[in-house]
Amino acid sequence: MKSVNPKSSKSYPLVSICIAAYNASLYIADAIDSLLSQSHHQIEIIVVNDGSTDETESILASFTDPRIKVYSIANIGQAAALNLAFSYASGDYVKFMDADDLISADFIALQLAQVMDYTDAIATAEWGRFYNDDLSTFKKSPESVWRHLKPIDWLIESLENGANMMQCALFLIPRNVLMRSGLWKAELTLANDIDFGIRLLLQASQVRFCPGAILYYRSGMPSLSAQKSEKAYRSAFKSISSGVEALLSFENSKRSRRVAANIYQLWAYEFYPAAPDLYLKAIQKVNELGGSALPYPAGGITKLLSQFLGWKLIKRIKNYL
């Protein structure tokens, strides 16, 4: 693809990229290199080293580009660290990123080209997964929402099956939209992107899709989303409850209630049997919202066995193993 020349724009907006890094020594250099390689050069990279105990701090210190600002603190958690990073941001546009994210070279330029003629539009992008740190395994994961949409329509369509991709690096956010939506809720750990993403998008006028802007999503490694502790599950329930409340406050319709029920149903499957009280609360929400036909998410042999043995038994066996 031909590079996008940022000098072709009438202005040169500063984009603030906010990163929380915790024990990210294996990946943080690659993430920053992908940002320094952007064809839009008017960026500032704000990294909060969130109490890392590995080599993250020394790796960050090895970068000399003046666009990089590093703040090392005692551990406060990902959401609070992202909020702290934003407190140092000066840009008219903001992007939050994980410390292991990689983006294509024209990512920011393409996103700016889509939103600069609007005062409160959010840009999104293509994405796909790669495995075992090997970019040759990358494959796009096309979604039906890869087009320009109103925010409520984007959310309804994206959340229709309970699961969606709201990874924060996908979005380029005008500062004024972020100030209206509010920042990350510091008390949330697991599934905090559901709460943040719904609140954020509903403050925009449009979600504009940017073909050619690609997020390379690293898979097959431990992450916050892989947490299974009771604290993490309670965070997830708070996050989905907050997100659903925001969604239904904006549009309380048959389609939005169906989507809300599907979100709770998906997490009910996840909560069982490790968090039985949260499972029951989620099912109660599903019933209050009119029910859900969302099937147990499984593939291959697990899907086959769950049809004969029931998904609850399968979950108990997997939990035991």
Side-chain angles (χ1 to χ4, degrees):
M1 176 176 291
K2 184 178 179 180
S3 290
V4 175
N5 181 3
K7 293 185 178 181
S8 64
S9 301
K10 294 181 180 179
S11 59
Y12 306 88
L14 177 66
V15 177
S16 299
I17 300 145
C18 301
I19 301 174
Y22 174 71
N23 287 350
S25 61
L26 293 177
Y27 309 110
I28 189 64
D30 290 342
I32 291 178
D33 283 340
S34 81
L35 295 174
L36 296 178
S37 300
Q38 290 297 300
S39 57
H40 180 82
H41 301 294
Q42 294 295 103
I43 63 173
E44 60 177 3
I45 304 167
I46 305 165
V47 185
V48 171
N49 175 28
D50 187 28
S52 296
T53 58
D54 62 359
E55 301 303 313
T56 297
E57 186 170 12
S58 60
I59 292 171
L60 290 170
S62 70
F63 286 93
T64 59
D65 193 300
R67 294 175 294 175
I68 302 173
K69 305 172 185 178
V70 178
Y71 301 90
S72 291
I73 60 169
N75 182 259
I76 59 175
Q78 181 200 36
L82 288 173
N83 291 343
L84 179 61
F86 174 72
S87 74
Y88 295 112
S90 303
D92 293 324
Y93 293 90
V94 179
K95 181 176 290 294
F96 294 104
M97 286 184 58
D98 290 341
D100 61 336
D101 286 339
L102 301 174
I103 58 176
S104 56
D106 287 333
F107 196 100
I108 291 175
L110 288 167
Q111 290 198 312
L112 281 170
Q114 284 288 346
V115 299
M116 282 181 57
D117 290 336
Y118 306 88
T119 59
D120 55 1
I122 289 176
T124 188
E126 302 179 54
W127 73 280
R129 298 180 185 274
F130 69 100
Y131 295 86
N132 302 317
D133 301 330
D134 183 0
L135 271 175
S136 69
T137 65
F138 174 78
K139 186 177 181 180
K140 289 184 184 180
S141 300
E143 297 177 317
S144 64
V145 293
W146 285 11
R147 66 190 198 277
H148 303 328
L149 287 166
K150 292 181 180 180
I152 185 62
D153 295 331
W154 191 97
L155 286 167
I156 293 292
E157 195 166 322
S158 181
L159 294 165
E160 182 70 30
N161 294 314
N164 69 313
M165 184 59 165
M166 277 194 188
Q167 210 274 356
C168 57
L170 283 175
F171 303 121
L172 181 69
I173 310 163
R175 175 181 283 268
N176 65 309
V177 174
L178 182 60
M179 297 310 294
R180 290 201 300 268
S181 71
L183 296 176
W184 299 82
K185 292 183 178 177
E187 71 274 16
L188 300 180
T189 54
L190 183 60
N192 55 8
D193 54 343
I194 297 176
D195 165 69
F196 176 75
I198 292 175
R199 286 189 290 109
L200 174 71
L201 291 175
L202 290 177
Q203 292 299 321
S205 62
Q206 298 183 58
V207 179
R208 297 192 60 81
F209 175 61
C210 304
I214 304 172
L215 167 66
Y216 302 94
Y217 188 74
R218 195 184 301 270
S219 295
M221 52 169 282
S223 66
L224 283 176
S225 62
Q227 296 179 70
K228 302 297 183 182
S229 69
E230 180 180 350
K231 180 181 178 181
Y233 278 141
R234 296 196 180 282
S235 166
F237 189 83
K238 288 181 181 179
S239 181
I240 62 176
S241 297
S242 177
V244 164
E245 181 180 355
L247 182 70
L248 296 179
S249 294
F250 189 91
E251 179 186 296
N252 193 337
S253 65
K254 182 178 180 179
R255 68 170 188 167
S256 63
R257 290 192 296 273
R258 182 182 68 250
V259 163
N262 286 349
I263 295 172
Y264 277 114
Q265 182 63 66
L266 181 71
W267 280 94
Y269 289 132
E270 176 65 31
F271 292 145
Y272 185 88
D277 62 322
L278 295 180
Y279 166 74
L280 292 175
K281 287 181 180 180
I283 291 299
Q284 181 180 352
K285 291 289 187 180
V286 171
N287 293 333
E288 290 173 355
L289 289 161
S292 172
L294 191 70
Y296 175 62
I301 187 66
T302 301
K303 181 177 182 180
L304 181 63
L305 289 175
S306 65
Q307 292 173 349
F308 289 97
L309 302 177
W311 70 267
K312 287 187 175 181
L313 178 57
I314 294 299
K315 281 296 300 279
R316 290 199 298 270
I317 292 172
K318 291 177 70 173
N319 214 47
Y320 174 78
L321 294 176

